[in-house]
């Protein structure tokens, strides 16, 4: 929230307010989609997990089938007893084990899959798949897909590179074992890449990030180009395909992406090389519209608690469950407070932030990706390399990765403006700004300098900025800043007036405001235009972050006042339909509310009236009273969180986190957050 945003919300009186270690990398990136266990009940006492009407398939992702004390990666090992019990339970409950061939035929007009179909997959090629899983697969006549890393299998003995160290070759499948399992057709081999199941240097700070999706960084050459990146993927997949065909007699038709990370470039290369099926670790159900190139899988882990956890996960998939069913606890972070001209001080600030995140117990972070040192709400520079604005420091990717790998945070969102970019004076689109007419009705317009959403060149610039962000970092979501708004005195720029004419409206804002029917059409058109713009930006980012979530800041008056859409070009019901989360700025001091509890209750009452309103709304509280320039007592913030939880709210957050003042106090806030279940009842 900028200084302009902190000044107050728009109403008719005021201005607008407001791993570096590979083992850790694997533990974090493979952890997406873990379900809570149901308890230690017998395997037949779990509820049947019927597939949803529009879903015909669930894919399970196993790694080792071994006791934890014998496993290479204990957290991702399932004991032989658990594995046998899980397959017994699946068969008992009426699930049908299917092959990759059946999946491909069903999607190309062949015979439909049977109901409750299950495709089994095994990643990495551990020897325990042969010794402990293969006999169970044979007993059940259960087909499976086995994803192999070529570089690990090429030697016949000795040590092979594995993560940050080495692994004895005998821990992995032998070629003779692979030939035996694939000979009868029950097991089909997939590619797990030849040498991309590792991290590469992805930024100047040296963070080791997934080789499939990261653009390599070196001090000598900087970031690799897009053509070089694509060719690196292509050559790796070609090499693995050739190896598997040479040793096993068949080229793979599927690729299982290491760590579950992939993007549009990787999918396109795989398809070109004859692998139309991509296996991911994404959440969500597989439906008739799910791309074969990105099939979600249920990650099977020791923590899943065997049959109980599998039953719960299938129940979630039945509802096509996503993060909105798991309570978000959000810390909203200004990267401006982490940055320092001295890189060593920046690192000390980052370590302080990581300690605060761990102490606070949040599971989601909204992290600023742009620089706003003058506090006017607009991006003067960015924290990632890009084509249009200065780079204050190449810092966003580094901080985001450290948070994702060194704290319990499950989701990290890049917080970005939509319109509020202050381009350099010489930039061709620098002058294509929103024009605000003087207000004669008792309220002022947005204080942020913004590019006109109707100027093609300016919007092409914004789209390229978002594309650059998507290539330069690993993150889970986008938070669209509160600058995506237009009042009833905006936008009077030439581009805005031309757009109104195309909508069949007068190119005269006063004439539009003077007519209720015209104003209604105008306001709804502007609201939809801004929503479409954010949808376009999200689509661009999904080229490199396919599982992207979206959140949109919304002013409280939009929730409380039916007339507020006129002043903001924002709509609660449309936001709830479009974004995974609508982040309502539930900030009583910013809204000049004398009774904070009553204010929060009114917000909740309005959200409850919306379909699935509580599931998709985050209530973002303020930790600082910007008018008085003082932090709120942590006990007061804690009480507001308790109030929201008592009213049935699932998702809460606060802004800002005052890193250097140590407020709010984790000792006060963390217990309140911890007392609320991380998984609302399904």
């Amino acid at each position: 929230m900028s200084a302009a945003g902190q000044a107050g919300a728009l109403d008719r009186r005021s201005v607008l307010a407001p791993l570096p270690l590979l083992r850790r990398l694997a533990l974090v990136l493979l952890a997406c989609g873990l379900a809570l266990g149901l308890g230690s009940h017998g395997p037949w006492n779990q509820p049947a997990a019927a597939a949803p009407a529009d879903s015909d398939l669930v894919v399970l992702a196993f790694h080792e089938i071994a006791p934890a004390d014998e496993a290479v990666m204990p957290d991702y090992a399932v004991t032989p007893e658990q594995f046998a019990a899980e397959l017994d339970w699946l068969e008992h409950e009426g699930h049908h084990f299917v092959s990759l061939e059946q999946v491909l035929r069903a999607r190309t007009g062949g015979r439909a899959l049977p109901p409750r179909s299950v495709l089994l997959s095994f990643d990495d090629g551990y020897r325990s798949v042969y010794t402990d899983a293969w006999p169970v697969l044979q007993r059940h006549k259960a087909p499976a897909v086995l994803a192999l890393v070529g570089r690990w299998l090429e030697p016949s003995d000795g040590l092979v590179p594995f993560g940050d160290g080495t692994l004895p070759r005998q821990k992995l499948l032998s070629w003779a074992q692979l030939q035996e399992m694939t000979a009868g057709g029950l097991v089909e081999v997939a590619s797990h890449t030849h040498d991309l199941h590792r991290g590469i240097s992805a930024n100047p700070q040296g963070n080791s990030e997934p080789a499939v999706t990261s653009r390599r960084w070196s001090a000598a050459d900087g970031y690799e180009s897009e053509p070089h990146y694509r060719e690196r993927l292509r050559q790796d997949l070609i090499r693995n395909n050739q190896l598997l065909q040479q040793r096993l007699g068949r080229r793979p038709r599927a690729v299982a992406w290491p760590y579950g990370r992939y993007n549009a470039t990787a999918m396109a290369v795989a398809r070109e090389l004859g692998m139309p099926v991509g296996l991911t670790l994404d959440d969500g159900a597989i439906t008739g519209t799910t791309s074969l190139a990105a099939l979600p899988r249920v990650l099977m882990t020791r923590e899943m608690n065997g049959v109980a956890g599998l039953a719960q996960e299938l129940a979630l998939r039945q509802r096509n469950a996503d993060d909105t069913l798991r309570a978000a606890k959000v810390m909203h972070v200004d990267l401006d407070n982490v940055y320092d001209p001295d890189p060593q001080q920046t690192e000390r600030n980052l370590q302080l932030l990581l300690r605060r995140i761990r102490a606070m117990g949040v599971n989601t972070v909204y992290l600023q990706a742009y620089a706003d040192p003058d506090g006017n709400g607009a991006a003067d520079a960015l924290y990632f390399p890009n084509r249009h604005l200065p780079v204050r420091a190449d810092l966003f990717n580094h901080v985001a990765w450290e948070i994702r790998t060194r704290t319990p945070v499950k989701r990290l969102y890049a917080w970005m403006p939509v319109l509020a970019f202050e381009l350099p004076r010489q930039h061709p689109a620098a002058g294509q700004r929103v024009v605000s007419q003087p207000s004669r009705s008792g309220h002022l317009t947005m204080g942020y300098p913004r590019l006109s959403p109707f100027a093609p060149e300016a919007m092409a610039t914004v789209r390229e900025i978002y594309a650059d962000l998507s290539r330069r970092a690993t993150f889970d979501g986008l938070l669209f800043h509160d600058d995506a708004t237009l009042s009833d005195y905006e936008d009077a720029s030439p581009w805005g007036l031309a757009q109104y004419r195309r909508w069949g409206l007068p190119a005269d804002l006063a004439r539009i405001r003077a007519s209720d029917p015209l104003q209604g059409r105008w306001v709804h058109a502007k609201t939809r235009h801004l929503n479409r713009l954010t949808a376009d930006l999200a689509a661009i980012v999904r080229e490199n972050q396919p599982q992207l979530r979206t959140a949109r800041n919304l002013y409280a008056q939009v929730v409380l006042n039916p007339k507020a859409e006129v002043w903001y070009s924002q709509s609660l019901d449309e936001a709830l339909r479009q974004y995974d989360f609508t982040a309502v700025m539930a900030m009583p001091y910013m809204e000049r509310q004398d009774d904070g509890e009553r204010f929060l209750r009114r917000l909740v009452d309005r959200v409850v009236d919306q379909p699935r309103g509580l599931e998709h709304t985050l209530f973002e509280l303020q930790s600082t009273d910007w008018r008085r320039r003082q932090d709120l007592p942590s006990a007061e913030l804690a009480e507001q969180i308790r109030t929201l939880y008592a009213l049935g709210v699932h998702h809460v957050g606060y802004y800002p986190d005052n890193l250097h003042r140590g407020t709010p106090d984790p000792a006060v806030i963390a217990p309140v957050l911890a007392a609320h279940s991380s998984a609302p009842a399904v």
Side-chain angles (χ1 to χ4, degrees):
M1 189 74 59
S2 70
Q6 296 157 11
L10 173 62
D11 57 22
R12 291 289 168 178
R13 304 174 306 279
S14 65
V15 107
L16 268 176
L19 34 177
L21 300 177
L22 257 290
R23 179 172 176 80
R24 179 61 174 156
L25 179 150
L27 292 175
V28 172
L29 290 180
L30 287 174
C32 61
L34 291 183
L36 299 176
L38 293 178
S40 55
H41 303 291
W44 313 123
N45 293 330
Q46 309 310 325
D54 61 346
S55 173
D56 55 12
L57 180 66
V58 170
V59 186
L60 305 184
F62 293 92
H63 287 78
E64 294 178 86
I65 309 300
D69 59 354
E70 299 177 13
V72 176
M73 296 283 287
D75 289 325
Y76 300 99
V78 172
T79 69
E81 296 76 17
Q82 283 178 328
F83 180 70
E86 286 162 353
L87 264 63
D88 288 344
W89 178 82
L90 286 166
E91 190 168 76
H92 182 276
E93 292 296 323
H95 294 271
H96 296 85
F97 300 114
V98 297
S99 66
L100 183 64
E101 176 67 21
Q102 288 175 277
V103 173
L104 283 166
R105 286 183 179 177
R107 284 300 187 91
T108 55
R111 184 176 180 180
L113 291 175
R116 296 185 180 183
S117 292
V118 176
L119 176 63
L120 305 175
S121 66
F122 298 83
D123 288 2
D124 298 349
Y126 298 103
R127 186 157 297 201
S128 62
V129 175
Y130 177 81
T131 57
D132 294 286
W134 176 232
V136 181
L137 295 176
Q138 291 176 300
R139 184 170 72 247
H140 286 276
K141 296 185 173 63
V145 175
L146 186 55
L148 302 175
V149 179
R151 190 182 181 198
W152 297 351
L153 297 181
E154 278 181 323
S156 58
D157 54 23
L159 297 175
V160 297
F162 187 86
D164 296 315
T166 57
L167 181 70
R169 175 62 178 81
Q170 62 264 29
K171 287 283 188 178
L172 301 167
L173 290 160
S174 70
W175 289 111
Q177 291 166 339
L178 284 166
Q179 289 164 355
E180 178 185 341
M181 287 193 290
T182 57
L186 199 61
V187 171
E188 181 166 345
V189 168
S191 176
H192 208 25
T193 77
H194 181 267
D195 189 26
L196 299 178
H197 200 305
R198 60 189 179 91
I200 59 174
S201 180
N203 54 41
Q205 295 85 0
N207 288 115
S208 181
E209 302 185 22
V212 168
T213 52
S214 300
R215 279 63 171 179
R216 189 193 309 274
W217 187 90
S218 70
D221 302 318
Y223 289 96
E224 70 180 332
S225 67
E226 289 301 299
H228 186 275
Y229 163 69
R230 193 182 198 281
E231 185 62 16
R232 174 166 61 84
L233 298 187
R234 183 174 175 275
Q235 290 301 324
D236 180 278
L237 293 177
I238 286 174
R239 182 171 178 180
N240 210 45
N241 287 358
Q242 291 173 341
L243 173 67
L244 295 178
Q245 183 173 37
Q246 176 188 355
R247 300 303 299 260
L248 301 174
R250 187 173 182 182
R251 296 171 70 88
R253 298 185 291 176
V255 57
W257 297 114
Y259 314 115
R261 305 303 294 200
Y262 65 102
N263 57 30
T265 299
M267 290 191 294
V269 170
R271 282 194 297 267
E272 291 167 9
L273 298 177
M275 293 181 286
V277 177
L279 302 177
T280 77
L281 293 172
D282 293 347
D283 289 330
I286 298 172
T287 71
T289 61
T290 304
S291 171
L292 280 178
L295 292 179
R297 291 189 291 171
V298 178
L299 179 62
M300 307 298 293
T301 68
R302 179 177 62 167
E303 192 177 20
M304 186 176 277
N305 193 23
V307 167
L310 175 58
Q312 172 72 347
E313 184 62 31
L314 293 183
L316 288 171
R317 302 279 169 139
Q318 180 181 355
R319 291 191 57 180
N320 204 8
D322 55 26
D323 281 356
T324 63
L325 292 176
R326 298 181 174 96
K329 304 170 184 182
V330 178
M331 176 189 287
H332 197 153
V333 174
D334 285 312
L335 196 48
D336 287 338
N337 290 337
V338 178
Y339 168 77
D340 191 275
D342 177 1
Q344 293 184 340
Q345 183 59 50
T346 295
E347 287 301 313
R348 288 191 287 271
N349 294 341
L350 173 56
Q351 295 309 310
L352 175 59
L353 174 63
L354 298 177
R355 290 195 295 272
R356 283 189 57 77
I357 291 172
R358 289 191 290 263
M360 198 68 74
V362 295
N363 58 21
T364 305
V365 166
Y366 292 165
L367 181 65
Q368 182 187 27
Y370 64 98
D372 180 24
D374 59 7
N376 71 344
D380 303 298
L382 298 170
Y383 284 113
F384 56 90
N386 71 96
R387 286 168 273 184
H388 296 288
L389 279 166
V391 179
R392 194 181 195 194
D394 188 355
L395 190 58
F396 177 79
N397 182 30
H398 174 49
V399 174
W401 189 253
E402 291 291 305
I403 291 172
R404 291 289 279 112
T405 57
R406 296 185 180 276
T407 77
V409 165
K410 299 300 183 187
R411 301 292 179 208
L412 185 138
Y413 286 62
W415 170 29
M416 283 285 288
V418 178
L419 306 175
F421 293 95
E422 293 197 275
L423 300 174
R425 289 184 179 180
Q426 68 275 18
H427 193 285
Q432 298 177 2
R433 296 190 174 200
V434 168
V435 172
S436 302
Q437 292 183 339
S439 169
R440 297 182 177 86
S441 54
H443 75 279
L444 299 177
T445 53
M446 163 69 86
Y448 300 163
R450 285 156 293 150
L451 298 174
S452 172
F454 308 113
E457 192 169 11
M459 292 305 96
T461 298
V462 173
R463 289 180 173 90
E464 289 183 349
I465 288 172
Y466 273 76
D468 292 339
L469 169 66
S470 75
R471 297 185 183 111
R472 292 291 176 253
T474 298
F475 52 96
D476 307 292
L478 279 173
L479 171 67
F480 294 112
H481 188 32
D482 56 13
D483 67 313
T485 181
L486 292 170
S487 81
D488 46 340
Y489 286 80
E490 297 172 333
D491 172 19
S493 70
W495 306 277
L497 299 180
Q499 181 62 61
Y500 308 151
R501 284 193 295 268
R502 287 192 289 271
W503 288 339
L505 296 166
D508 183 332
L509 272 58
R511 284 184 59 195
I512 295 175
R513 288 192 299 268
S515 166
D516 286 343
L518 291 179
Q519 186 175 62
R521 286 171 51 198
W522 181 50
V523 169
H524 291 316
K526 288 194 296 179
T527 300
R528 289 193 299 270
H529 187 86
L530 291 174
N531 286 343
R532 282 195 298 269
L533 174 58
T534 60
D536 288 347
L537 297 175
I540 289 167
V541 173
R542 285 194 178 96
E543 290 288 304
N544 285 289
Q545 316 287 339
Q547 273 292 93
L548 187 83
R549 279 78 170 165
T550 57
R552 168 85 178 272
N553 270 141
L554 216 67
Y555 288 98
Q557 288 299 319
V558 176
V559 178
L560 295 175
N561 192 329
K563 298 180 180 179
E565 186 177 353
V566 173
W567 313 330
Y568 291 89
S569 298
Q570 293 182 347
S571 165
L572 174 62
D573 57 345
E574 291 192 20
L576 290 172
R577 284 194 295 268
Q578 176 164 331
Y579 307 98
D580 294 294
F581 293 98
T582 296
V584 174
M585 292 183 284
M587 302 178 176
Y589 288 92
M590 189 178 78
E591 295 285 343
R592 301 182 182 183
Q593 298 291 314
D594 295 330
D595 189 337
E597 181 176 342
R598 180 174 179 273
F599 168 74
L600 295 177
R601 287 181 179 275
R602 288 174 59 212
L603 284 175
V604 174
D605 286 345
R606 285 286 293 113
V607 169
V608 167
D609 287 341
Q610 300 290 326
R612 298 186 68 190
L614 289 180
E615 288 183 21
H616 290 275
T617 303
L618 170 85
F619 292 80
E620 189 166 16
L621 302 165
Q622 63 187 111
S623 62
T624 297
D625 182 351
W626 296 289
R627 297 182 189 279
R628 299 177 184 174
R629 298 188 177 184
Q630 62 185 30
D631 296 335
L632 299 181
S634 296
E636 181 176 349
L637 180 61
E639 187 57 36
Q640 290 177 344
I641 296 172
R642 288 191 192 94
T643 295
L644 291 173
Y645 283 155
L647 293 172
V649 166
H650 299 333
H651 313 296
V652 299
Y654 71 88
Y655 176 82
D657 185 73
N658 300 302
L659 179 66
H660 300 292
R661 299 194 298 274
T663 60
D665 184 354
V668 177
I669 303 301
V672 182
L673 295 175
H676 187 67
S677 169
S678 62
V682 295

